[in-house]
Amino acid sequence: MEKIASFTIDHRKLDRGIFVSRKDATPKGDVLTTFDIRMKLPNREPALRPEVIHTIEHLAATYLRNRPDWKDRIIYWGPMGCLTGNYLILAGDYKSADIVNLMRDMMKFIADFQGDIPGATDVECGNYKLNNLEGARHEAKVFLDEVLTNPSKQNLEYPA
């Protein structure tokens, strides 16, 4: 079997950041860009706790799908199975640098969020008790302060 692209990245060298994971053409010829939003160093620091990444998912998806200048381009936001980050799929052909400001704004929204977590009731979510707002706020602030405030090439391009 052919190895999928994300398994060809040396995770021992991968930093935190925003990376173009892949670009795919739709049957109509449009481009979908998949981003790896890597919040934790793979295999070198603890992964995001399930209740934290679940809350990040709810807040990020809500923010992205309500942002007027981006909402029509948002296809998907969701956690990676390894719990070190999230995938963002956008309609269009983008580079990592194209979404730095969007990710900054979103992480600031999460870091500052107060109130009820959107979609976190038994009617709206299949595991609504698995949430941790304080943990999500903390992880968003760390990512914002340590990575997104001044990203370098290693935060925007996969290692060679």
Coordinates of all heavy atoms in Angstrom, one line a residue, residues 33-67:
T33 N -7.2 22.9 0.4 CA -6.0 22.9 1.1 C -6.2 22.3 2.5 O -7.0 22.9 3.3 CB -5.3 24.3 1.2 OG1 -5.2 24.8 -0.1 CG2 -4.0 24.2 1.9
T34 N -5.5 21.3 2.9 CA -5.5 20.8 4.3 C -4.3 21.3 5.1 O -3.2 21.1 4.6 CB -5.5 19.2 4.3 OG1 -6.6 18.8 3.5 CG2 -5.6 18.7 5.7
F35 N -4.6 21.9 6.2 CA -3.6 22.4 7.1 C -3.4 21.5 8.3 O -4.4 21.0 8.9 CB -3.9 23.8 7.6 CG -3.8 24.8 6.5 CD1 -4.9 25.2 5.8 CD2 -2.5 25.4 6.2 CE1 -4.8 26.2 4.8 CE2 -2.4 26.3 5.2 CZ -3.5 26.7 4.5
D36 N -2.2 21.3 8.7 CA -1.8 20.7 10.0 C -1.6 21.8 11.0 O -0.6 22.6 10.8 CB -0.6 19.9 9.7 CG 0.2 19.3 10.9 OD1 0.0 19.8 12.0 OD2 1.0 18.4 10.7
I37 N -2.5 22.0 11.9 CA -2.3 23.0 12.9 C -1.7 22.3 14.2 O -2.5 21.8 15.0 CB -3.7 23.7 13.3 CG1 -4.4 24.2 12.0 CG2 -3.4 24.9 14.3 CD1 -3.7 25.2 11.1
R38 N -0.4 22.3 14.2 CA 0.3 21.4 15.2 C 0.5 22.3 16.5 O 1.4 23.1 16.5 CB 1.6 21.0 14.6 CG 2.3 19.9 15.4 CD 1.6 18.6 15.4 NE 1.5 18.1 14.1 CZ 1.4 16.8 13.8 NH1 1.4 15.9 14.8 NH2 1.2 16.4 12.5
M39 N -0.2 21.9 17.5 CA -0.1 22.7 18.8 C 0.9 22.1 19.8 O 1.3 22.8 20.7 CB -1.5 22.7 19.4 CG -2.5 23.5 18.6 SD -4.2 23.5 19.3 CE -3.9 24.6 20.7
K40 N 1.3 20.8 19.6 CA 2.2 20.2 20.5 C 3.3 19.5 19.7 O 3.1 19.1 18.6 CB 1.5 19.1 21.3 CG 0.4 19.6 22.3 CD 1.1 20.3 23.4 CE 0.1 20.7 24.5 NZ 0.8 21.4 25.6
L41 N 4.5 19.4 20.3 CA 5.7 18.8 19.7 C 5.4 17.3 19.7 O 5.3 16.7 20.8 CB 6.9 19.1 20.4 CG 7.4 20.5 20.4 CD1 8.6 20.7 21.4 CD2 7.9 20.9 19.0
P42 N 5.3 16.6 18.6 CA 5.0 15.2 18.6 C 6.1 14.4 19.3 O 7.3 14.6 19.1 CB 5.0 14.8 17.1 CG 4.8 16.1 16.4 CD 5.4 17.2 17.2
N43 N 5.6 13.5 20.2 CA 6.4 12.6 20.9 C 7.5 13.2 21.8 O 8.3 12.6 22.4 CB 7.2 11.6 20.0 CG 6.2 10.9 19.1 OD1 5.2 10.3 19.5 ND2 6.4 11.0 17.8
R44 N 7.4 14.6 22.0 CA 8.3 15.3 22.8 C 7.7 16.1 24.0 O 8.4 16.6 24.8 CB 9.2 16.2 22.0 CG 10.2 15.4 21.1 CD 10.8 16.3 20.1 NE 9.8 16.4 19.0 CZ 9.8 17.3 18.1 NH1 10.7 18.3 18.1 NH2 8.9 17.3 17.1
E45 N 6.4 16.2 23.9 CA 5.7 16.8 25.0 C 4.3 16.2 25.1 O 3.9 15.5 24.2 CB 5.6 18.3 24.9 CG 4.8 18.8 23.7 CD 4.7 20.4 23.7 OE1 4.6 21.0 24.7 OE2 4.8 20.9 22.5
P46 N 3.7 16.2 26.3 CA 2.4 15.6 26.4 C 1.4 16.1 25.3 O 1.4 17.3 25.0 CB 1.9 16.0 27.8 CG 3.2 16.3 28.5 CD 4.1 16.9 27.5
A47 N 0.6 15.2 24.8 CA -0.5 15.6 23.9 C -1.6 16.4 24.6 O -1.6 16.5 25.8 CB -1.1 14.3 23.2
L48 N -2.4 17.0 23.8 CA -3.6 17.7 24.3 C -4.5 16.6 25.0 O -4.7 15.6 24.4 CB -4.3 18.4 23.2 CG -3.5 19.6 22.6 CD1 -4.1 19.9 21.2 CD2 -3.5 20.8 23.5
R49 N -5.0 17.0 26.1 CA -6.0 16.1 26.8 C -7.3 16.0 25.9 O -7.7 17.0 25.4 CB -6.2 16.5 28.2 CG -5.0 16.4 29.1 CD -5.2 16.7 30.5 NE -6.2 17.7 30.8 CZ -5.9 19.0 31.0 NH1 -4.7 19.5 30.8 NH2 -6.9 19.9 31.3
P50 N -7.9 14.9 25.9 CA -9.1 14.8 25.0 C -10.2 15.8 25.4 O -10.8 16.4 24.4 CB -9.7 13.3 25.4 CG -8.4 12.6 25.7 CD -7.6 13.6 26.5
E51 N -10.4 16.1 26.6 CA -11.5 17.1 27.0 C -11.0 18.5 26.5 O -11.9 19.4 26.3 CB -11.8 17.0 28.5 CG -10.7 17.4 29.4 CD -9.7 16.3 29.7 OE1 -9.7 15.3 29.1 OE2 -8.9 16.6 30.7
V52 N -9.7 18.8 26.5 CA -9.3 20.1 26.0 C -9.4 20.2 24.5 O -9.9 21.2 24.0 CB -7.8 20.3 26.5 CG1 -7.2 21.5 25.9 CG2 -7.7 20.4 28.0
I53 N -8.9 19.2 23.8 CA -9.0 19.3 22.3 C -10.4 19.3 21.8 O -10.8 19.9 20.8 CB -8.1 18.3 21.6 CG1 -7.8 18.7 20.2 CG2 -8.7 16.9 21.7 CD1 -6.7 17.9 19.5
H54 N -11.3 18.6 22.6 CA -12.7 18.6 22.2 C -13.3 20.0 22.4 O -14.1 20.5 21.5 CB -13.5 17.6 23.1 CG -14.9 17.5 22.8 ND1 -15.9 17.2 23.7 CD2 -15.6 17.4 21.6 CE1 -17.0 17.1 23.1 NE2 -16.9 17.2 21.8
T55 N -12.9 20.7 23.4 CA -13.4 22.1 23.6 C -12.8 23.0 22.6 O -13.6 23.9 22.0 CB -13.1 22.6 25.0 OG1 -13.6 21.7 26.0 CG2 -13.6 24.0 25.3
I56 N -11.6 22.9 22.3 CA -10.9 23.6 21.2 C -11.7 23.4 19.9 O -12.0 24.4 19.1 CB -9.4 23.3 21.0 CG1 -8.7 23.8 22.2 CG2 -8.9 23.9 19.7 CD1 -7.2 23.3 22.3
E57 N -12.1 22.2 19.6 CA -12.8 21.9 18.4 C -14.1 22.6 18.4 O -14.5 23.3 17.3 CB -13.1 20.4 18.3 CG -14.0 20.0 17.1 CD -14.6 18.6 17.3 OE1 -14.5 18.0 18.3 OE2 -15.3 18.2 16.3
H58 N -14.9 22.6 19.4 CA -16.2 23.3 19.5 C -16.0 24.8 19.3 O -16.7 25.4 18.5 CB -16.9 23.1 20.8 CG -17.6 21.8 20.8 ND1 -19.0 21.7 21.0 CD2 -17.2 20.5 20.8 CE1 -19.4 20.4 21.0 NE2 -18.3 19.7 20.9
L59 N -15.0 25.4 20.0 CA -14.8 26.8 19.9 C -14.3 27.2 18.5 O -14.7 28.2 17.9 CB -13.9 27.3 21.0 CG -14.6 27.2 22.4 CD1 -13.5 27.5 23.5 CD2 -15.7 28.2 22.5
A60 N -13.3 26.5 18.0 CA -12.7 26.8 16.7 C -13.7 26.7 15.6 O -13.8 27.6 14.7 CB -11.5 25.9 16.5
A61 N -14.4 25.6 15.6 CA -15.4 25.4 14.5 C -16.4 26.5 14.5 O -16.8 27.0 13.4 CB -16.0 24.0 14.6
T62 N -16.9 26.9 15.7 CA -17.9 27.9 15.8 C -17.3 29.2 15.3 O -18.0 30.0 14.5 CB -18.4 28.0 17.3 OG1 -19.0 26.8 17.6 CG2 -19.4 29.2 17.4
Y63 N -16.1 29.6 15.8 CA -15.5 30.8 15.3 C -15.3 30.9 13.8 O -15.7 31.8 13.2 CB -14.1 31.0 16.0 CG -13.4 32.2 15.6 CD1 -13.7 33.5 16.1 CD2 -12.4 32.2 14.6 CE1 -13.1 34.6 15.7 CE2 -11.8 33.3 14.1 CZ -12.1 34.5 14.7 OH -11.5 35.7 14.2
L64 N -14.7 29.8 13.3 CA -14.4 29.8 11.8 C -15.6 29.9 11.0 O -15.7 30.6 10.0 CB -13.6 28.6 11.5 CG -12.2 28.5 12.1 CD1 -11.6 27.1 11.9 CD2 -11.3 29.5 11.4
R65 N -16.7 29.2 11.4 CA -17.9 29.2 10.6 C -18.8 30.4 10.7 O -19.8 30.6 10.1 CB -18.7 27.9 10.9 CG -17.9 26.7 10.3 CD -18.7 25.4 10.5 NE -18.0 24.3 9.9 CZ -17.4 23.3 10.6 NH1 -17.6 23.3 11.9 NH2 -16.8 22.3 10.0
N66 N -18.4 31.3 11.7 CA -19.1 32.5 11.9 C -18.3 33.8 11.4 O -18.8 34.9 11.5 CB -19.5 32.7 13.3 CG -20.7 31.9 13.7 OD1 -21.8 32.3 13.4 ND2 -20.5 30.7 14.2
R67 N -17.1 33.6 11.0 CA -16.2 34.7 10.6 C -16.6 35.1 9.2 O -16.4 34.3 8.2 CB -14.8 34.3 10.7 CG -13.9 35.5 10.3 CD -12.6 35.5 11.0 NE -11.8 36.4 10.2 CZ -10.6 36.8 10.7 NH1 -10.1 36.4 11.8 NH2 -9.9 37.6 9.9

